[in-house]
Amino acid sequence: MINYLYIFPEIIITSALCFIIVLDLFLPSRLKYISYYLIQFSLIFCAYYIYSHFSYLNTNVSQLYDTSIFSNTFKIFILLSLAIIFYYTAVFLRYFNIYQTEYFLITMFGLLGMMIMISSQNLILLYLGIELLSLSLYSVIAFNKNSLFSSEAAVKYYILGAISSGFLLFGISLIYGLTGSLSFNEIFIHISSLEVLNNMDNVQIIGLLFALIFILISLSFKFGAAPFHMWIPDVYHGSVITTTLLLSTIPKIAVFVILIKLLASVFSGLLLFWTDMTIVLSVLSILIGNIIAISQTNIKRMLAYSTIANIGFILLGLSVGSIIGYKAAMFYTLTYVITTIAAFGLLSQLVYEKKPIENINDLSGLNSSSPFTAFLLMIILLSYIGIPPFIGFHAKLLIIQSLVETNNISLGIFAVLMTVIGSFYYLRVIKVIYFDESKNDLSTTSKLHLTGIYIMGLVLLGLLPDILGQLSQYSISNLFNT
Amino acid sequence: MYWQSIIIIFSPLVGAVTLLLKDKCTNIASSIIANLSIGISMLLSLWLFISYISGHNFSESHTLYTWYATSGYTFEIGILADSLTIIMSFIVTFISFFVHMYSITYMSGDKSYKRFFIYTNFFTFSMLFIVFSNNFLQLFIGWELVGLSSYLLIGFWYNKPSAVSANLKAFVVNRVGDIGLLLGVILIFITSNSLSYNDFFDKLPLLRNDTVNLLGLNIDLLPFIALLLFIGAAAKSAQIPLHFWLPDSMEGPTPISALIHAATMVTAGIFMVARLSPLYDLSGYVLDIILVIGVSTALFMGMVALVQNDIKRIIAYSTISQLGYMTAALGASYYSFAIFHLLTHAFFKALLFLCAGSIILKCHHEQDITKMGGLKKIMPITFIAFLIAGISLMGVPSMSGFFSKDLIIDIFKYSDNSIAYYSLVLGVFITTLYTSKIFFKVFFGENQLNIKKRSDLEHNHTLIIPLVVLAIPSAFIGWALFDSVLFNNFFEQSITDNTKLVKFYDLYIYHSVSFFLHSFASLSFAMVTIGLLLSYFLYYKNMNFLEKIGSKFPLLRNLLLNEYGFTHMSNIFIPRHVKKLANLVWVKSDVNIIDNFFVNGTAKLVSFISSKVRVIQTGFLYHYAFTMIIGLLLFLIIFIKF
Amino acid sequence: MIPMSHYLILSSILFSISLAGIFLNRKNIIIMLMSLELMFLSINFNFIIFGNYLSDLTGQIFVFFILAVVAAESAIGLAIIVVLFRNKQGINVQDIARLKG
Amino acid sequence: MNLEIIIFYIFSLLLLSSSIAVIMVNNPVKSAISLVLSFFSSAVLWLLLNAEFLSIILILVYVGAVMVLFLFVVMMLDINISRTEEGFVKYLPIGIIVFATIAGLLSYFFYNQFDNAGDSIITSIDLIGKDNTKNLGYLLYTEYLLAFEIAAIILLLGIISAITLTHKKSETNKYQNPGDQVNVSKNARLKIISDEDRAR
Amino acid sequence: MYDLNIPILSLLIWTPLIGGLVLFFINHKNDSFIKLIGFSVSTLTLFISILLLINFNTSQYLLQFVEKHVWIENLDINYHLAIDGFSMLFILLTTTITSIIIIFNFSEERQQNNKYIALFLILEGLLLGVFCAFDSILFYIFFEAMLIPLFLIIGIWGGPNRVYATIKFFIYTLLGSVLMLVALLYLSFQANSFYILDYYSLVLSLDTQIFIFLAFLIAFGIKVPMWPVHTWLPDAHVEAPSSGSVILAAVLLKVGGYGMIRFLLPITPDAGLYLNNILIPLSLIAIIYISFVAIAQQDMKKLIAYSSVAHMGFVTLGIFLVFNTIGQAEDIQIISHIGLQGSIMQMLSHGLISAGLFICIGIIYSRTKSRMIDDQSGVGQVMPLFSALMMFFLLANSGLPGTSGFVGEFMVLIAAIKNNIIYAILASTTLVLAATYSLWLGKRVLFGEVNSDTVASMKKLRLDELWPLLMLVMLVILIGIKPNLVLDISEESSINMIKIITNKY
């Protein structure tokens, strides 16, 4: 049985959710902001709760669920990120008059799903968490009901997501059949006990590889790694920019956690096999992401491909198959999320001809109309490229370092060369905002003070990357000690 | 001698810097500063010279300044004062001073009066820097600095396109020589670990059998160095095939032609070889090369002068030709004779140029001698000066040119090198012809330029005095120095040919008087006489004999008019092909291949791939699903070995 | 008795049919949804079979959850299709390709 | 050849053929009906596998609720079915290849992997008794309670999303807001306009 | 070591960086106020660097003014600043050139001047960082961050084709530096430290060395730039505003040479020796081929840009020649020390001379609005003083003794001739070629008759244009007649470097 105190964070979210659903029905439209603030409060409170009970929560709740330091770190990170995302979303939705509390509520379901994913110690819970997240994302994408793009994106994501769920389940069923258990621990023990692990003739191994491939493909679909990335550009493009912001950030963290939990610990016995797969995935992702991004004109689409490339880098870190690589991957993931929140958050606050920003050319001459915004955007883009001293550099540095230290130098060289190719499309945006003729129709939805502070924080993080570095160190080593 | 030398060297520099920094400076003030600074040098040089001759022998080497020092090696600036230095500094400062004086009037109309004196002062400094140099680095630096001064002075009238073309050409050609010089200097440094003359000379016996590896061939070190250095000398002293800059350099003001392009700078090459006589003594076949170059320069460049009509160009070719004589003497390793000819030549050639300047000034800057004439009455002093200089150049016995030139011819006469001998003698004939051509064309006949006689003096004092003063050494310095200096062990401590010289003197010359008397029986005197007579008819009586010869041999005539094709080569062929090559390299290789193909090509390729690859994102749901399924299949097939 | 592998082969054929159905269908999204249902059906088969094989009820528990989740998923999927239909007046798969490149 | 085997093969065939019908049939209504058939045959097969509760759930929930929903949507959307299956034939070969490969791969794998499992397949799993439903319930409410609750939340999400997405606030709809009606003031109800104003 | 008790290197780096960042956001209406701020910051930096010089001990090769603080504990990356002789020289060059640029900037009017000056100050700070950093990651950070300000300077204030040029510049240099990152990480993995001097003592196999060598070579070769990766430079120069060209030619290119000395020489000497048969021809090609390309140019800036490439060919020649002395006798090592010093000299001298030339071209451009050679003629008649100064720089560019341009070439040639006479013969063609393109440029632009009204109406040289030029002239002459002034600073470091290389195996 479960001691429910341990899942108190989830309970906080759930009860807030239920309360607000009901409350919101009775609030008149001018008081709807109350629910928004309640949501924000619950997120922050939940984060605070986890933070304040950090060591207390460091236990395995049951075979199903754990609340280790590792997962709690990510939970706090997700909660805070979501709070920021909600801020941008609220500003955006209000500005364009499509504000509905349900948007936030449905997203909260997704949050719950992610928290479950992060904490799951059992494939059932993992599945439920993933589904909770996916279902909420399907709805959120389709939320802009009057937009054809949104519904098309939602349909695409839905169908493909369902297929990937099917793959996941198929893989899980195989695992279940082969190991007789759904619990991470037992599967781990079972796999580790198999003898002659790298011997392909072992029938069990082939079965496990089948399962591994199905699960890995499903997760890389959720992650957005090529060649299972096809939904990313379309969905990012089709959704409202704040939804893109949501999609491209925290779900990646959750999926990353799952990946690292499954691959690095549960399937650690199959390390030799899955590293090859992640290498293929990452190389393809980096290639496809960086190359196709070059010819994009829509900024969301471009950033979608950039996401794919970044995912490739994360997988590259994972494919190192040792603690140093995982740390690098975690660092990269967190960096990627922070940067992407900044990027999409900033873009969501820009208005061109009374519409949200769509094309890269909409930004032209941003520097002359709003130098500060242009400066912030430039910092983000440079961070994406990996130009020091911004945080993106440290992320790439760690990945490449982990590759070099495990003698994967050719991969390291590949990664850096693709960084160069990738720099081209980011530079093009900088070019548009700094070097092109200005258009006067460009404005912002609100003052960018908060964004400014946030991005300055980003810069600070770049100057003091040890903060994230220690965090990754701490949580990854925790994962492998327990 | 230390302080005197320093003052001699740096006084002109001080003058130049003073002028440079002095913002508003009247013409008079600038000329005074310039002349004063040179005057100090000249007087000191003269004093040194006289004291040397009067038995105060010295040969001193001092280090003035360490230019650069590193881990055991030093690169220094120093002074070496010995007989060669003294005589050279005497020539340089003496001519320089009078040219300066001459320029006061000559340049008076020019708005860049001060600049002129800055340049000339700087030139004098640079030249003295070479002359007093005690090491190779200083030699090279001075070498370049005189090249720079020459460049600046040729292009003094920088709005004149021909002038700036000429100075560019002069600089670049000199730079070609400088490559040789620089490489030679560095090779010396590498092999002897020092740049000092003395250290190098001391090490020479050790280096005799050294070789240097050039493209796998082992070449004897010393001749190679000598050759490299001679390339520098040839460029500076306008020897074939690097001579063609000198006639063009006549675009500069005439005093400059006198100073730099006749008397001093162009003789730097001769001076250098003489200075390095220990090296050249050991350089074997290089001496033969030098001899061949010298003789052919002397003969062929003189022939070119025959067909020229520009007064300065004629004298310029004459200068090249005379430098050829000196080089020939060097090639025979009679360095002292070369220096002696250098000395006398400096005076009469400078004088010749100054006269030419005087004439040109009178003729309103007309330089074509066929348009002049009848200036004898208008410019008597110039006439006399020119006459002295001219006959000195021809080598009429008793003139200074005679002593030096006939000595050189005699070398070959007595060494049975008949080709060289007859060539040089023929050179005398040609010299006589072109000199008298100027003489007759300019001073006799009808004036076509409408020049009025204004006063009893043809020009200002400052212009005339130099002519007069220079005429004296042009006439007498040969006599004066022949026995007492040249054959009186003057160069004993500086040039290695002293014993040879003594032998030569004892065997063939005995004394200047006997030399003088013997010369009337010599072939060269005959040539001078025939030449004079011939030119009297040709140029004074205006018999169209020469025209007839010319039309009989159009090939020869054209050859001479085209200066054996060097004009074409230097003005058209080389620039055009360099430009062509440059454009080829730039457009074809740099822009097209490297930049467009490799650099932009890669970028375009990536963009192209990108635009093609993006098509796989078709937008169709079933394609996406298909991709996933195929991906699954591939993963299964690749990673599972059934 | 029926060998276990027969059941498994049955489910794998069902799985493959559903996959084929997804990408062969160029017309109607709802049929895609139905193919997905087939896919989940085959997976449920797997779980039940393995549960039996292992004499373990967890497999059936999982099927229970899958059924619940897929039901919710279908509901949302249909809702999305309704939204799409309202925007586009059609749910032809070939026509929903505005987003591409 | 006992009854079980006959039932297995009959319903297996039925399942497969109806599944193929689901994806091949032109008319979505017919496909939905075929899907019902496949669910039905699966339910029978599940019974063979001793999963009584699940097979009943499958019929009740899937056939009874989900498929009705499907049909409902199909009807509601009134999809034009006259368009021919363009491209279907063209892509059929590759479809069959892919289908065959996957099916072959998986079947081969299963055959190799679980061949030795033999006939031991049908067992009754006894946890707290022979009753499958009871056993499931026991597990659900003890070990998998957390999961069960999460499943409930998922269903809640399904409800909320479906409502939010399909709920349409049309501009043409006229509706009353009782709160506004109550709060209305006297001035808002009656506005007195003077003659001058009206004339203007 | 003299201890100053203040973190002077940090002060040196952060003064312009912070000054620049602050200035970036000061949008003051009054342009001269902004210029004055820029001026005071750059002068302060110059002052600090002079203070540094005064306290610098030239009689030893150890690092001085060391500052070391843990920065990224996780990776053992330190904020490790120090200088040796090489650094000192380049620091002085940077601060001097930046001050000169800022002064020159007084004469120019432009939009967003605060950002313009700010970017220059930031660039200065980053450059100083490059020269001071002794932690390889810190070095890399400064090295790559340098791209940003210059990217913006060219992109925002550049010519019509600026976007192409600046993106080309950025990507080209990025391409080089990322490979270096891999090499640095590999080295740090081997040495278990990011401290650059720890790399020097690493013993690496030849294959490894070759890979590392190539990685560094690409990075620094592009920066220098070497043939055939030089094509970004002319474009960047042509499109950059005058001051941008100045800093690009004068300092940025030197980072490549500095990097070669700091990394290539001591870490991978064997690879250098092994590859020298390719490297030295590359340098020679740069000298000869590029000189010819320069002759063909119609655009003054392009001409000088190509001449920069040719001059940097001498730098790389001097550096690569050092490899050839590995295992040779002591006296030959001394000669290669002279060559190395010559390279450094050539860098400094080229820094000053090209700065002067680009300023000159900037002055012409500001008046005639054209950089084409054919558009100007007879500038000398209109602006005699200016022409004299420009002529001076052109002559210095062609390596005239007495100017700094001669010293480096001379010293490199010494090393070259010691190695192989053919190298020297080929390299010395620069005497002619450099004279040809430099003086021909002078001839066409400064001399001759005034051919157009734009030239005829050129304004006199302003004081704020004259001063930078005069300062440069004085420096060029000073170094030319007393090279020891600067070379003594790096003397011990250079000797030590040769020792490291030759004693490594």
Side-chain angles (χ1 to χ4, degrees), chain B residues 92-132:
Chain B
V92 172
T93 51
F94 189 82
I95 307 249
S96 181
F97 177 73
F98 287 105
V99 167
H100 268 75
M101 188 190 270
Y102 178 87
S103 305
I104 295 171
T105 309
Y106 191 86
M107 297 305 293
S108 59
D110 204 284
K111 61 177 179 180
S112 304
Y113 195 76
K114 187 179 94 173
R115 185 161 61 92
F116 179 84
F117 283 111
I118 295 173
Y119 289 172
T120 48
N121 262 27
F122 183 69
F123 166 76
T124 313
F125 157 72
S126 317
M127 192 66 207
L128 290 168
F129 198 67
I130 297 180
V131 166
F132 279 94

Side-chain angles (χ1 to χ4, degrees), chain D residues 50-68:
Chain D
N50 281 352
E52 303 97 15
F53 178 72
L54 289 177
S55 67
I56 289 166
I57 290 282
L58 190 67
I59 301 290
L60 288 183
V61 175
Y62 265 71
V63 179
V66 177
M67 289 321 297
V68 169

Side-chain angles (χ1 to χ4, degrees), chain E residues 275-436:
Chain E
L275 293 173
N276 235 0
N277 286 335
I278 304 163
L279 297 172
I280 291 179
L282 282 184
S283 307
L284 293 172
I285 289 173
I287 295 170
I288 299 169
Y289 168 103
I290 296 294
S291 296
F292 271 105
V293 176
I295 290 174
Q297 296 309 313
Q298 295 300 316
D299 182 320
M300 290 188 278
K301 265 192 164 177
K302 247 188 177 155
L303 194 151
I304 302 302
Y306 275 111
S307 111
S308 296
V309 181
H311 280 92
M312 295 310 279
F314 259 95
V315 174
T316 52
L317 181 64
I319 292 171
F320 293 146
L321 283 171
V322 174
F323 291 125
N324 275 357
T325 56
I326 295 169
Q328 306 276 336
E330 181 116 3
D331 59 323
I332 299 181
Q333 289 176 17
I334 297 286
I335 296 290
S336 71
H337 153 71
I338 293 180
L340 183 60
Q341 288 277 66
S343 287
I344 290 161
M345 192 65 203
Q346 177 78 349
M347 284 195 257
L348 296 178
S349 141
H350 177 257
L352 301 172
I353 294 168
S354 63
L357 281 170
F358 278 117
I359 289 178
C360 286
I361 293 171
I363 290 170
I364 294 181
Y365 182 74
S366 69
R367 285 160 172 74
T368 64
K369 297 289 170 241
S370 165
R371 286 186 303 261
M372 287 303 160
I373 294 173
D374 293 343
D375 291 351
Q376 8 259 337
S377 174
V379 174
Q381 291 186 49
V382 191
M383 301 171 73
L385 177 60
F386 165 76
S387 300
L389 292 171
M390 180 158 170
M391 202 60 223
F392 172 81
F393 286 117
L394 286 173
L395 285 165
N397 197 36
S398 62
L400 192 77
T403 65
S404 60
F406 166 69
V407 189
E409 286 178 13
F410 178 69
M411 291 167 71
V412 172
L413 278 176
I414 289 178
I417 220 164
K418 186 87 188 178
N419 278 285
N420 191 337
I421 277 197
I422 284 296
Y423 296 162
I425 291 175
L426 292 173
S428 62
T429 52
T430 192
L431 283 181
V432 173
L433 295 172
T436 309

Side-chain angles (χ1 to χ4, degrees), chain D residues 24-189:
Chain D
M24 302 287 263
V25 169
N26 258 351
N27 189 331
V29 180
K30 284 181 187 167
S31 335
I33 300 295
S34 311
L35 188 59
V36 170
L37 188 57
S38 12
F39 279 141
F40 184 72
S41 29
S42 315
V44 173
L45 290 172
W46 287 8
L47 274 178
L48 280 184
L49 288 165
N50 281 352
E52 303 97 15
F53 178 72
L54 289 177
S55 67
I56 289 166
I57 290 282
L58 190 67
I59 301 290
L60 288 183
V61 175
Y62 265 71
V63 179
V66 177
M67 289 321 297
V68 169
L69 192 62
F70 266 82
L71 279 171
F72 185 72
V73 171
V74 169
M75 300 297 189
M76 185 181 88
L77 298 187
D78 189 24
I79 295 148
N80 183 8
I81 54 165
S82 67
R83 278 180 61 176
T84 49
E85 291 269 336
E86 340 157 323
F88 189 88
V89 181
K90 203 166 80 188
Y91 293 97
L92 197 58
I94 194 161
I96 288 171
I97 292 170
V98 172
F99 162 76
T101 324
I102 297 177
L105 218 57
L106 292 177
S107 310
Y108 175 77
F109 161 69
F110 281 132
Y111 187 75
N112 275 348
Q113 192 91 18
F114 295 101
D115 195 34
N116 51 354
D119 297 340
S120 66
I121 178 77
I122 297 180
T123 52
S124 64
I125 305 153
D126 298 339
L127 206 67
I128 53 166
K130 280 198 176 297
D131 189 346
N132 176 257
T133 314
K134 209 170 182 178
N135 286 338
L136 276 181
Y138 174 74
L139 265 184
L140 268 183
Y141 287 105
T142 53
E143 206 175 329
Y144 293 104
L145 183 59
L146 185 62
F148 188 70
E149 280 166 6
I150 295 168
I153 293 174
I154 291 181
L155 288 172
L156 177 63
L157 169 64
I159 295 166
I160 293 175
S161 311
I163 293 172
T164 328
L165 287 178
T166 48
H167 177 67
K168 192 174 173 187
K169 239 188 232 169
S170 170
E171 289 81 34
T172 54
N173 283 0
K174 295 192 171 76
Y175 56 93
Q176 293 178 323
N177 190 343
D180 289 350
Q181 287 175 341
V182 171
N183 287 336
V184 83
S185 68
K186 197 169 67 179
N187 295 336
R189 289 190 181 190

Side-chain angles (χ1 to χ4, degrees), chain E residues 449-475:
Chain E
E449 292 293 349
V450 176
N451 69 344
S452 68
D453 292 343
T454 42
V455 174
S457 59
M458 282 168 88
K459 285 194 212 78
K460 279 239 147 42
L461 208 57
R462 293 167 49 135
L463 215 57
D464 41 23
E465 291 166 336
L466 176 66
W467 269 112
L469 289 176
L470 278 184
M471 280 158 71
L472 288 170
V473 167
M474 284 189 278
L475 284 171

Side-chain angles (χ1 to χ4, degrees), chain A residues 339 375-388 390-393 396 426-427 430, chain E residues 145 147-149 151-152 170:
Chain A
T339 321
F375 181 71
L376 295 179
L377 194 52
M378 180 181 71
I379 287 178
I380 296 166
L381 291 165
L382 290 172
S383 175
Y384 264 131
I385 301 178
I387 300 288
F390 304 112
I391 185 75
F393 164 72
K396 288 210 164 73
Y426 298 115
L427 284 185
I430 300 183
Chain E
L147 296 180
I148 308 166
F151 174 74
L152 292 176
F170 192 99

Side-chain angles (χ1 to χ4, degrees), chain A residues 409-439:
Chain A
I409 293 176
S410 48
L411 273 181
I413 291 173
F414 167 77
V416 294
L417 288 182
M418 292 316 288
T419 306
V420 176
I421 291 185
S423 69
F424 180 73
Y425 54 88
Y426 298 115
L427 284 185
R428 216 178 41 173
V429 181
I430 300 183
K431 171 228 150 195
V432 166
I433 57 181
Y434 270 94
F435 310 157
D436 278 6
E437 286 298 309
S438 101
K439 294 178 179 171

Side-chain angles (χ1 to χ4, degrees), chain B residues 510-568:
Chain B
Y510 317 119
H511 193 261
S512 56
V513 178
S514 68
F515 184 66
F516 170 66
L517 292 174
H518 270 104
S519 72
F520 289 105
S522 72
L523 195 56
S524 48
F525 179 71
M527 282 298 160
V528 172
T529 325
I530 297 168
L532 275 173
L533 286 171
L534 191 61
S535 50
Y536 175 76
F537 291 113
L538 283 179
Y539 301 119
Y540 186 67
K541 293 285 182 191
N542 258 336
M543 290 160 71
N544 291 331
F545 184 58
L546 204 66
E547 296 295 310
K548 282 175 194 157
I549 297 175
S551 52
K552 281 265 172 60
F553 301 98
L555 197 70
L556 179 70
R557 186 191 155 95
N558 283 333
L559 198 64
L560 292 180
L561 276 174
N562 290 328
E563 299 163 29
Y564 310 107
F566 278 109
T567 320
H568 180 78

